[in-house]
Amino acid sequence: MAAFIIYAIRWALTLTLLYSLYRLLLRRETFHRLNRAVLLAILVVSPLLPLVPLHTDRPTALDAMFTRIEGTIIERPLIRQPSDENVAGNALTAQEKDEAASDRCMRYGAYIYIIGIVIAVATYLFRVLALVRVIRRSRRITHELVPDRVHLMLDMRITQPSSFMHWIFIGPIDLKQNAETVLRHELAHVRMGHSWDVVLCDLTCRLLWCLPFAWMLRQDLVDVHEFQADEAVLQGGVKLEDYEHLLVRKAVRTQALPIMNTLRRGAVKKRFAMMHSRRSSRWSRLKLLYLVPALAACLWVSAQAEEYKVYLNGKLWASLKADTFLVDGRPVTREEMDAIDPSTIKRVDVNHSQKKVLVETAKEPIDTGGVMSGVRPEDAYFDMVEQMPQFPGGDAAFKQYMAQHVRYPKAAAENGVNGTVKVQYIVETDGRITHVQAFDSTSEETDAVVHSYGATDKQPTQDEIDEGRRALREAAEELIRGMPPFEPGRQNGKPVRVQLTTSLNYM
């Protein structure tokens, strides 16, 4: 969903920029065919430009904004307020609260936008079904002005002549009194394919339902359609005065379905003004040159920082597509680059324009700040973070849970084995417990000792001791795996994977 939201924003910005300049420079010109072509070009180009793979050396301000939006919608969950803000590690700063509120607004806005699209498309489909019903209840007739490929439909309930694709709808009154004028007008719509323009525009308006400029463009396109149809009627021999009287009479009638072309569609006042206006000068066509800087600006809106893939300390440091890798000034292959110990990477610089990645390494491993080095990005985790994972209810609830659920395994009791078991596990970004592993070692350095002694008169054998130790490990791992999800750990305000260690005493 995030990708579509970002695409829709780029689409809306591109359409707004192109249409605003059209409305400023060309809207009042009498080049109806040219104006229609420009509006259709805006409708077609605006959704395509964001798909053009144009890359920049550095992320633009818009690109940075889109990255934040994508992270908000996909990656960053809404921050929940802690039950006790006095508990260490749970208190949220004012900045974090503001960011959480901003992220919440963006996410809810995305949901509202998607719901609006569903409603807008459903409304349009309802109107299409209404049009189908009108076609089915009408009766096809013939007229000398209407060619065979055009279907002239008569219905007693039609008070407003209209057309859609190759159908023309007319009522008995207009067929008797204004047939020639009405049919010339609707035939112009059919011949010029205006219905296809309306369908394309309606699709844009439904997908960008919250953008006022999309609806304004639709109205301007409808006006251009009427200007062309009016021109065709007047060129067919109809007197201007008679035609104006007909438009005035039809202006007070109820309009047909919005997806149809009708005689009274568009502002009558604007149509009268256009009929009496002087033809625009040919030099006015030079205004089309505005498209050059406008398209350049639209490409900037659609530009994205070129992405390569560079890993630093086992984490995805940058996502780019490099052709050349330099390590300490020496060119290396991609395989040699991947073989470098991430813990020795001191600095990474990316030359976007030349598609180069320059790596500076150190002889000794670099402090990774808690991130385990030398692992794949998907396996990376933290040992220490700003806000450590929390058991639901805090430390007191954790101790109570352990006291209630620790069970001394039968095999360990029978073989006289007891002691302390340390269990390591990872708390995922959603709070799940994974990668549970109990340590069984006699090394005091790891403090993972399982002490054994003879609890009975019979001294246990080594196999029995090993069996008891194995039973303790399995019991400890089963206990940790059964814990409820934690509150995930956070680093820089974002949920991260954190490894924890818990000691269990079996006495």
Side-chain angles (χ1 to χ4, degrees):
M1 182 179 71
F4 176 73
I5 295 295
I6 293 174
Y7 167 75
I9 295 175
R10 294 183 188 272
W11 179 7
L13 290 175
T14 303
L15 186 145
T16 298
L17 180 59
L18 294 176
Y19 171 69
S20 298
L21 293 176
Y22 163 84
R23 191 175 180 88
L24 179 65
L25 299 175
L26 292 176
R27 181 168 174 258
R28 299 184 181 277
E29 302 297 336
T30 60
F31 306 124
H32 306 318
R33 182 180 301 179
L34 177 63
N35 286 357
R36 178 193 178 195
V38 171
L39 290 173
L40 290 177
I42 294 174
L43 287 174
V44 173
V45 170
S46 58
L48 295 181
L49 275 182
L51 302 178
V52 176
L54 179 66
H55 299 292
T56 59
D57 289 347
R58 299 295 177 187
T60 63
L62 283 174
D63 197 23
M65 180 189 72
F66 295 144
T67 301
R68 183 171 183 270
I69 293 175
E70 184 174 12
T72 299
I73 298 176
I74 291 182
E75 299 174 356
R76 190 186 310 168
L78 300 178
I79 298 177
R80 289 176 287 181
Q81 298 292 340
S83 57
D84 185 1
E85 293 189 356
N86 294 323
V87 178
N90 280 347
L92 298 175
T93 65
Q95 181 179 0
E96 289 174 336
K97 291 180 180 179
D98 292 341
E99 290 180 356
S102 176
D103 294 346
R104 189 177 295 109
C105 290
M106 284 192 289
R107 180 172 294 183
Y108 290 160
Y111 294 153
I112 292 173
Y113 172 67
I114 296 298
I115 293 173
I117 290 180
V118 174
I119 295 175
V121 172
T123 302
Y124 184 75
L125 293 177
F126 176 78
R127 290 174 175 173
V128 172
L129 292 177
L131 173 61
V132 172
R133 288 196 296 269
V134 172
I135 294 175
R136 296 184 63 179
R137 78 187 183 201
S138 301
R139 177 170 59 91
R140 184 177 180 182
I141 61 175
T142 59
H143 193 278
E144 59 183 3
L145 291 178
V146 180
D148 294 336
R149 63 180 182 85
V150 179
H151 297 181
L152 180 60
M153 312 299 292
L154 177 65
D155 189 347
M156 301 296 293
R157 286 168 284 190
I158 294 178
T159 59
Q160 187 66 256
S162 57
S163 63
F164 182 79
M165 297 301 181
H166 61 276
W167 288 283
I168 295 178
F169 304 92
I170 192 171
I173 297 178
D174 288 308
L175 183 62
K176 182 178 180 181
Q177 298 178 357
N178 311 303
E180 180 179 358
T181 304
V182 168
L183 292 178
R184 288 187 184 277
H185 182 274
E186 300 306 330
L187 282 172
H189 285 307
V190 174
R191 184 175 65 255
M192 298 179 190
H194 290 164
S195 295
W196 292 105
D197 301 0
V198 174
V199 170
L200 175 61
C201 204
D202 282 341
L203 177 62
T204 301
C205 290
R206 267 61 189 180
L207 295 179
L208 301 178
W209 61 268
C210 55
L211 181 67
F213 288 100
W215 298 95
M216 293 166 63
L217 186 151
R218 184 184 188 280
Q219 184 57 54
D220 280 349
L221 184 59
V222 166
D223 289 341
V224 171
H225 289 170
E226 296 306 318
F227 296 155
Q228 288 186 301
D230 294 341
E231 192 174 55
V233 171
L234 297 177
Q235 290 177 355
V238 178
K239 293 182 180 180
L240 176 58
E241 182 179 355
D242 295 339
Y243 187 57
E244 289 177 338
H245 289 164
L246 177 61
L247 291 180
V248 171
R249 292 198 304 271
K250 291 299 179 182
V252 298
R253 298 288 183 86
T254 302
Q255 188 172 352
L257 291 174
I259 60 177
M260 295 183 178
N261 301 297
T262 66
L263 186 65
R264 61 141 295 184
R265 203 170 191 178
V268 175
K269 182 178 179 181
K270 286 191 293 185
R271 293 167 66 179
F272 285 176
M274 190 59 68
M275 292 179 201
H276 291 277
S277 63
R278 297 177 56 185
R279 304 296 295 178
S280 300
S281 170
R282 292 183 178 181
W283 293 102
S284 300
R285 290 185 173 90
L286 293 177
K287 294 180 180 179
L288 281 176
L289 293 177
Y290 86 86
L291 290 174
V292 177
L295 289 174
C298 292
L299 288 175
W300 176 81
V301 170
S302 303
Q304 304 177 38
E306 192 169 7
E307 297 192 350
Y308 307 71
K309 285 187 177 179
V310 179
Y311 295 98
L312 177 61
N313 296 333
K315 295 181 65 180
L316 185 62
W317 182 84
S319 183
L320 305 116
K321 185 180 179 182
D323 295 333
T324 305
F325 299 93
L326 298 175
V327 177
D328 298 329
R330 177 177 59 89
V332 298
T333 63
R334 181 58 187 263
E335 289 73 19
E336 293 174 318
M337 175 72 179
D338 293 337
I340 297 176
D341 183 1
S343 65
T344 63
I345 296 179
K346 185 177 181 181
R347 179 178 177 181
V348 178
D349 291 325
V350 179
N351 188 321
H352 293 260
S353 59
Q354 299 181 13
K355 296 185 179 181
K356 290 184 179 180
V357 174
L358 301 94
V359 180
E360 181 181 351
T361 61
K363 295 182 179 180
E364 299 295 332
I366 306 298
D367 183 10
T368 63
V371 179
M372 297 298 293
S373 61
V375 298
R376 296 177 300 175
E378 58 269 23
D379 295 334
Y381 57 84
F382 287 80
D383 293 326
M384 293 294 297
V385 291
E386 297 172 352
Q387 182 177 330
M388 295 295 290
Q390 287 284 329
F391 185 85
D395 293 339
F398 179 76
K399 293 177 181 179
Q400 182 180 2
Y401 180 88
M402 288 299 174
Q404 294 176 349
H405 292 81
V406 171
R407 297 289 183 269
Y408 193 34
K410 181 179 179 181
E414 291 176 349
N415 295 305
V417 177
N418 64 3
T420 301
V421 179
K422 278 196 171 184
V423 184
Q424 285 187 344
Y425 52 95
I426 292 179
V427 179
E428 300 290 343
T429 56
D430 57 359
R432 292 180 297 110
I433 306 298
T434 62
H435 297 78
V436 180
Q437 182 179 8
F439 285 90
D440 180 18
S441 172
T442 58
S443 172
E444 295 182 357
E445 296 178 357
T446 61
D447 194 24
V449 181
V450 177
H451 302 284
S452 62
Y453 66 95
T456 63
D457 294 338
K458 177 184 177 183
Q459 183 70 21
T461 64
Q462 186 60 44
D463 291 341
E464 291 173 335
I465 293 175
D466 291 342
E467 182 182 356
R469 287 177 172 174
R470 183 170 56 254
L472 289 182
R473 292 198 307 269
E474 293 175 352
E477 291 178 352
E478 182 179 358
L479 174 61
I480 297 299
R481 288 194 185 96
M483 290 192 299
F486 278 44
E487 291 288 337
R490 294 183 180 276
Q491 184 75 3
N492 297 325
K494 296 183 178 180
V496 293
R497 305 174 79 227
V498 182
Q499 185 184 71
L500 299 179
T501 302
T502 298
S503 297
L504 302 176
N505 295 319
Y506 291 92
M507 299 296 182

